[in-house]
Amino acid sequence: NGYRGDWCNDHFLQVKGLRKAREVRAQLLDIMKQQKVPIISCGHMWDVCRTAICSAYFHNAAKLKGIGEYVNCRSGMPCHLHPTSALYGLGYTPDYIVYHELVMTSKEYMQQVTAVDATWLAEMGPMFFTIKDSLTSRMDQKKKSKEKKGAMEIEMSIYQDKKALVEKAEAKKMEERAKRERGGVVEVGSARRQNREPGTPFRTPKRKMGL
């Protein structure tokens, strides 16, 4: 549509916001080309874009308090969705949002608001946010840790049994090798002992004495 302003007005779109978005996109493309980063579209996976926005604006996160009313998660300052916001008429109010800035008129209104997930805040800003586990989740974690500990004990016992079998086999091999080495040594006088009759005591032959 040639970025025409009348087309935006006919479709109830903000010309200034769309132009700003086009400029930001062009800047991002230039940066990615300079850094030789492959340009891959996320398609209709909007959570990828929302996660990226959350990673930059997690310090401006707010939690739902009432209908269209939020409080900043860090400072506790009240802030409101503007009635013209797309989230205001969404049909339901997101529990957590991030915003770009506050504008003071009759109230503190948020601008450029994006709905986010609580786990994203804990992941992107662990120095500010943590997720409090409920009783059921703690019980599940204890159960999982117990099962994991039991599995580790079983693996350890299997490993020790295998190690004992290997050591036993090695000891048996060394013993057989030692027996073979002892069997190959010829002792002095062994031939005479083998040629004499059984029951005959072994006698040292007499030596002739004289000059």
Side-chain angles (χ1 to χ4, degrees):
N1 299 302
Y3 306 104
R4 299 196 317 270
D6 57 347
W7 183 88
C8 295
N9 293 329
D10 294 340
H11 292 80
F12 306 100
L13 299 174
Q14 189 180 15
V15 181
K16 186 177 179 181
L18 293 177
R19 288 176 180 172
K20 184 66 176 179
R22 183 179 63 175
E23 293 175 1
V24 172
R25 183 178 183 277
Q27 291 177 6
L28 291 174
L29 286 176
D30 292 339
I31 293 172
M32 294 178 71
K33 289 178 181 178
Q34 291 176 2
Q35 300 296 327
K36 297 180 180 179
V37 178
I39 301 172
I40 302 174
S41 176
C42 65
H44 296 287
M45 299 174 62
W46 305 115
D47 286 350
V48 177
C49 298
R50 293 166 58 204
T51 306
I53 294 172
C54 182
S55 65
Y57 288 99
F58 61 86
H59 56 279
N60 282 346
K63 182 181 179 181
L64 180 65
K65 185 180 179 181
I67 300 176
E69 183 179 0
Y70 287 82
V71 290
N72 190 288
C73 293
R74 293 179 58 195
S75 62
M77 182 176 61
C79 41
H80 301 80
L81 283 175
H82 198 273
T84 59
S85 173
L87 294 181
Y88 192 87
L90 190 62
Y92 69 94
T93 310
D95 293 332
Y96 292 91
I97 53 94
V98 292
Y99 59 90
H100 173 60
E101 60 183 358
L102 291 174
V103 177
M104 180 62 183
T105 54
S106 59
K107 297 179 181 178
E108 291 280 356
Y109 286 112
M110 298 176 288
Q111 285 191 337
Q112 287 83 42
V113 182
T114 302
V116 296
D117 192 67
T119 55
W120 300 348
L121 295 174
E123 181 181 355
M124 304 300 176
M127 67 291 293
F128 298 125
F129 309 106
T130 56
I131 297 177
K132 186 177 181 181
D133 296 330
S134 61
L135 180 61
T136 55
S137 60
R138 286 199 297 268
M139 291 175 64
D140 293 339
Q141 287 181 359
K142 287 182 180 179
K143 185 177 179 181
K144 289 180 181 179
S145 62
K146 188 176 180 180
E147 292 176 354
K148 187 176 181 181
K149 186 178 179 181
M152 290 177 64
E153 290 177 354
I154 294 172
E155 291 179 0
M156 183 60 69
S157 63
I158 293 173
Y159 171 76
Q160 290 177 353
D161 294 341
K162 288 182 179 180
K163 186 177 179 181
L165 290 174
V166 171
E167 291 178 353
K168 188 176 181 180
E170 291 291 336
K172 189 175 181 181
K173 287 182 181 179
M174 292 179 66
E175 186 178 353
E176 291 177 355
R177 188 183 303 168
K179 286 182 179 179
R180 287 196 300 269
E181 291 176 355
R182 285 198 301 269
V185 177
V186 179
E187 297 180 359
V188 178
S190 60
R192 292 197 297 272
R193 292 192 184 96
Q194 293 174 1
N195 294 330
R196 65 187 177 85
E197 295 179 0
T200 305
F202 178 77
R203 297 178 181 178
T204 304
K206 295 181 180 180
R207 296 180 182 178
K208 295 181 180 181
M209 303 296 292
L211 297 174

